[in-house]
Every structure is written in structure tokens, then in C-alpha cells.
Amino acid sequence: MQGIDEQRVGNWLDANIENAQGPYVYDLIAGGRSNITFRVTDANGMQFVLRRPPMGHVLATAHDMAREHRIISAVGKTNVPVPRTLGLCTDIEVNGAPFYVMAFVDELVLDSPERGHQLPEHLRTTASEHLVDVLADLHAVDIDDVGLGDLAKREGYVERQVKRWSTQWANSKTRELPAVEEVARLLAANIPQQQGVVIAHGDYRFGNCLTDINTGKITGVLDWELCTLGDPLADLGYIGVYWTNPGQPMLRTNDPSGLAGFPTYEHLVERYALRTGRDVSNIGYYRAFSSFRLAVISEGVYARYLNGAMGDQNIDLEPMKLGTESLAEAALASLKGH
């Protein structure tokens, strides 16, 4: 299996994961375009998840397995639903890169309209509201109590992020896109005042959560690699990049919103404001900011696929390339009030 040294990883799992027994079967979990995620099944049918960085060159700060393991372990002490962490391997002799192991949660990731159809229509508002409630709960966590107070700088989140993603664009772009440069300039010129310091997930949406389609409840929040300390409204704005209001053409192929039964994005923003007491009047800026971040991330993923760093996956790269461009244009339009 590409990305897994089966003999050495198997020996490590035998020695470090409680009750695990080889031989092991490794299945690539589809949908992971950054860190590579495998479902591992042991000789007795027990399943768990193994995460490792992408193969090939990656930016120095990205894909830090120990950091991601630390965050999930800390959040696991709260009422925010996350899979239980089971082990961390930082010895690159084992698999060529660090990796960690966590429990396998057998629920559905609503990362497409097709999967959205599996959630009964009468539960779609319930699931959407719980998505926001879990986000509000995450943003209510005391960062010092759970041991994450030193995860990152506490202030100036958006300003730092705009600088970071502008630099990342320069490092990973495959072509010139003037819209991205213009968005970066406008964002930097209009930095809003940060409302508190929270655990900012950085990639929060249905597609990174496990949903129980029988209850409409979020049972696990996944993909913490972009998590940091920061401005809570960034996560709320990010949901808006993916969200399609009822009756509108579907914005994204990897989000279920827009199907009958899902509420408006404005409904979610209002619910978040009521739950948290935060001022959400400038949410448009945060949507633009999130579109910009996503455009840069999309370009980085596109560049890695172009360079063959994501393994042997047969995938059409053109939608990814166009996705970067459309996100940049959406951010620009949002900033200019269109």
C-alpha cells in the first residue's frame, strides 16, 4: 500500500495500540486531499484510522502529525465530539513520516449532495443547527483549561493569516492570478477587531464532520490540521463559503446544503450569534477571508497533485484549477459588496 510500510507499521501497531493484532488491512479513505487517511482493520475486525502527511515536498508548517494529535486529544476532554486518539508515532524510521492513530467512528460524512440525500429531509435543519451548536461549543472551550493556551499567538489572527496565506500563495502558485493578489491587498487593508481568542478549527463544515443520519447529530469533528488559536468568526465565515441557500444553484459539489430541508446561511449566522453573543454584522468580510484562504489551499493541493505528491490517484485536475479561480473571484466580489 503506497504510503504505508506494512511490515514496520504493523509491528508498531502490535506494540502500541491496545488490543490491536495483525495482520492489518489498509484502505485509503477517499476525500482526503491533504493529509492521507487510511482505515485500518486488524485480524479480529477491529477498525481504526491512521493519518500521515502527503508524500513529497510540503510546506514546513503543514501536516504536523504531533500537533494534530495534541489538538484532538485536548478537544477530546470537552463536550465537542472528536474521535478518541489511540497513539502517535514520531519515529520516521517506522513509516518515513510521523503518523497517528485514532478511533474509527462509523457515521456518514455529508461531503456531497448525493450523501446529503441520505439524511432525511426532516433532519436537515436539525443537523445544520447542530453543526453551528458544536462550533459554538468549540469556541466556548477554555484554551488554557485543555492545555492549548500555547498552541499559537492569541491576538492578530486574521492579520497573521492574511500574511501567511499570501506567502503560501507565493510559494505554491502554479500561475499568475491577479484576483488573488487584489483580495490579499483588500483583506490586509480592512482587518476587523478580533472578538476573543478561541480554538479556530480552520476547515469547519459538514464535509469534515461525521453525522448520524438517524438523529441529525454531529458525532465527530475531523481534519484538525489547520487548527490554531484565533478569531471565532473565521470558522463561521468559512461555513458560508460552502453553504448554498434553498433554491439557489449549488455552490459546491462537496457540501449537501441547497437540498430541500436545509436552512439559509443567515439562519446559521443568527443561531451562532444567539448562542455566543458575538457581533456577526461583519460576517461578509470573514466569508471573503475564508474564500481567499480556500483559494490558496486549493492551489496548494492542485500543485501537489501536479507534482505527484498525493500518490497514485486517478483524478481530473481541471475542476481543482478552476476552483481556485472561482474562489478568488467570489472573495473579490464579497469584498466589493456585489
Side-chain angles (χ1 to χ4, degrees):
M1 169 67 70
Q2 188 170 20
I4 297 286
D5 183 324
E6 296 194 27
Q7 181 66 49
R8 291 186 175 185
V9 171
N11 290 340
W12 187 91
L13 294 171
D14 284 343
N16 292 278
I17 304 302
E18 188 176 356
N19 298 325
Q21 184 179 341
Y24 300 94
V25 177
Y26 304 89
D27 294 301
L28 187 66
I29 295 177
R33 291 181 177 175
S34 46
N35 287 332
I36 305 175
T37 308
F38 298 91
R39 182 173 60 195
V40 185
T41 307
D42 85 344
N44 299 315
M46 183 172 81
Q47 295 185 323
F48 42 88
V49 171
L50 185 152
R51 293 258 290 173
R52 61 148 295 157
M55 288 160 281
H57 174 72
V58 294
L59 296 159
T61 58
H63 317 292
D64 185 332
M65 294 293 101
R67 184 178 187 274
E68 193 172 327
H69 177 268
R70 175 192 173 192
I71 291 167
I72 297 172
S73 299
V75 174
K77 302 172 187 172
T78 75
N79 63 340
V80 177
V82 288
R84 188 165 53 92
T85 52
L86 302 177
L88 169 69
C89 177
T90 56
D91 179 2
I92 62 172
E93 295 297 317
V94 176
N95 198 41
F99 63 88
Y100 71 89
V101 177
M102 60 184 171
F104 177 74
V105 180
D106 191 16
E107 303 289 0
L108 193 66
V109 177
L110 299 177
D111 57 1
S112 67
E114 293 73 26
R115 287 194 170 186
H117 280 295
Q118 295 183 49
L119 179 65
E121 189 172 328
H122 73 278
L123 290 177
R124 291 174 187 169
T125 292
T126 300
S128 304
E129 290 179 346
H130 198 231
L131 185 74
V132 170
D133 292 349
V134 169
L135 183 63
D137 287 345
L138 175 66
H139 291 168
V141 170
D142 186 310
I143 57 177
D144 294 308
D145 275 0
V146 296
L148 294 178
D150 62 347
L151 185 69
K153 292 180 181 176
R154 298 183 179 224
E155 302 300 331
Y157 171 77
V158 171
E159 185 175 8
R160 283 185 284 112
Q161 288 278 304
V162 169
K163 285 179 182 174
R164 175 190 172 184
W165 295 109
S166 298
T167 301
Q168 193 146 326
W169 172 257
N171 290 342
S172 60
K173 65 182 178 181
T174 64
R175 60 246 150 94
E176 296 299 322
L177 279 181
V180 175
E181 315 284 349
E182 175 72 355
V183 168
R185 186 187 67 76
L186 289 170
L187 287 172
N190 296 281
I191 303 290
Q193 185 172 348
Q194 184 171 311
Q195 296 183 58
V197 183
V198 303
I199 300 171
H201 181 277
D203 198 6
Y204 191 79
R205 54 191 170 89
F206 269 129
N208 281 331
C209 291
L210 295 158
T211 304
D212 184 337
I213 59 172
N214 297 308
T215 64
K217 295 296 183 181
I218 305 299
T219 57
V221 182
L222 309 173
D223 288 353
W224 293 83
E225 65 185 282
L226 296 175
C227 178
T228 187
L229 303 182
D231 189 326
L233 294 190
D235 280 338
L236 186 63
Y238 190 79
I239 293 175
V241 177
Y242 286 83
W243 206 264
T244 299
N245 280 348
Q248 299 296 311
M250 297 290 269
L251 284 176
R252 318 271 307 171
T253 59
N254 56 354
D255 195 83
S257 57
L259 298 177
F262 283 101
T264 63
Y265 175 63
E266 291 72 22
H267 177 80
L268 302 188
V269 171
E270 183 180 353
R271 185 176 181 90
Y272 181 88
L274 289 170
R275 283 283 302 242
T276 65
R278 293 191 174 97
D279 177 7
V280 296
S281 59
N282 197 22
I283 198 65
Y285 176 95
Y286 290 92
R287 284 181 89 171
F289 164 71
S290 296
S291 290
F292 166 69
R293 273 188 57 231
L294 205 57
V296 178
I297 292 168
S298 174
E299 184 75 358
V301 174
Y302 172 61
R304 289 204 298 278
Y305 271 104
L306 276 182
N307 296 328
M310 293 305 293
D312 186 18
Q313 297 186 41
N314 185 23
I315 189 167
D316 180 8
L317 299 184
E318 191 64 18
M320 213 178 292
K321 180 181 178 184
L322 295 175
T324 301
E325 297 166 15
S326 64
L327 283 161
E329 294 296 340
L332 199 54
S334 183
L335 284 169
K336 292 185 173 180
H338 300 307

